[in-house]
Amino acid sequence: MGTWDIGPFDNDTAADFAGDLDDAPAAEREELVRRMLKRAANSTDRLDQSDGERAVAAAALIAAQHGGEPTCPIYGPSEPLPTFPADLTMLAVDALGRVVAEQSELIEGWFDFSDGLRWRQGVKRLRDLLDPPIQPQEDALFEI
């Protein structure tokens, strides 16, 4: 079926990744998420579409633990996930940065679809939840 909507788990690759998480022993689930994020974040060449889809799904799992939307109850993992350590948060931010970079098959594919803008906005929301933009300071720190 491929991709059926814009959510992090709304494609075959991400749904398969969720299944892999469910099939993995509980003690190995964090490492599986870490591996997917590292693969995307450390990619120096063109980021493969399936690696990008897995990275978005992995980042969504971390974002869900930071007050983001819960993962998809149909296609997301159904088995309990560990509480992810803080270092995975920034790794997820880096991975999402690669997903929307110029050398990403996934971003190129979404430019061809009418929902591409909404998909990119969803990825930006994930990134902003994991690494909120710094708000400008309105009050002076001291008087001159």
Side-chain angles (χ1 to χ4, degrees):
M1 181 176 221
T3 300
W4 52 87
D5 207 350
I6 64 167
F9 287 94
D10 292 344
N11 60 76
D12 288 335
T13 305
D16 289 345
F17 174 62
D20 292 344
L21 284 168
D22 286 342
D23 293 343
E28 295 177 16
R29 292 180 186 144
E30 176 189 320
E31 184 55 34
L32 186 55
V33 168
R34 181 181 301 278
R35 200 171 334 134
M36 292 303 108
L37 293 172
K38 275 186 176 180
R39 183 180 287 174
N42 296 336
S43 172
T44 56
D45 295 325
R46 186 171 190 72
L47 180 63
D48 180 73
Q49 178 172 338
S50 61
D51 287 344
E53 289 169 336
R54 286 184 194 97
V56 171
L61 296 174
I62 295 167
Q65 292 185 1
H66 285 82
E69 294 179 19
T71 57
C72 177
I74 298 169
Y75 301 108
S78 56
E79 294 297 317
L81 295 170
T83 299
F84 296 115
D87 70 306
L88 283 185
T89 302
M90 289 315 296
L91 187 58
V93 170
D94 292 344
L96 291 173
R98 285 290 295 127
V99 164
V100 295
E102 188 175 311
Q103 290 191 330
S104 168
E105 282 185 8
L106 188 54
I107 192 83
E108 285 179 5
W110 276 105
F111 275 112
D112 294 338
F113 292 101
S114 60
D115 287 330
L117 177 60
R118 288 185 346 152
W119 177 83
R120 289 188 301 279
Q121 289 170 337
V123 172
K124 183 181 181 327
R125 274 192 304 277
L126 283 176
R127 282 187 75 191
D128 288 350
L129 180 68
L130 295 168
D131 188 25
I134 297 172
Q135 299 297 321
Q137 184 168 342
E138 295 178 16
D139 298 332
L141 293 176
F142 54 89
E143 291 186 36
I144 299 181

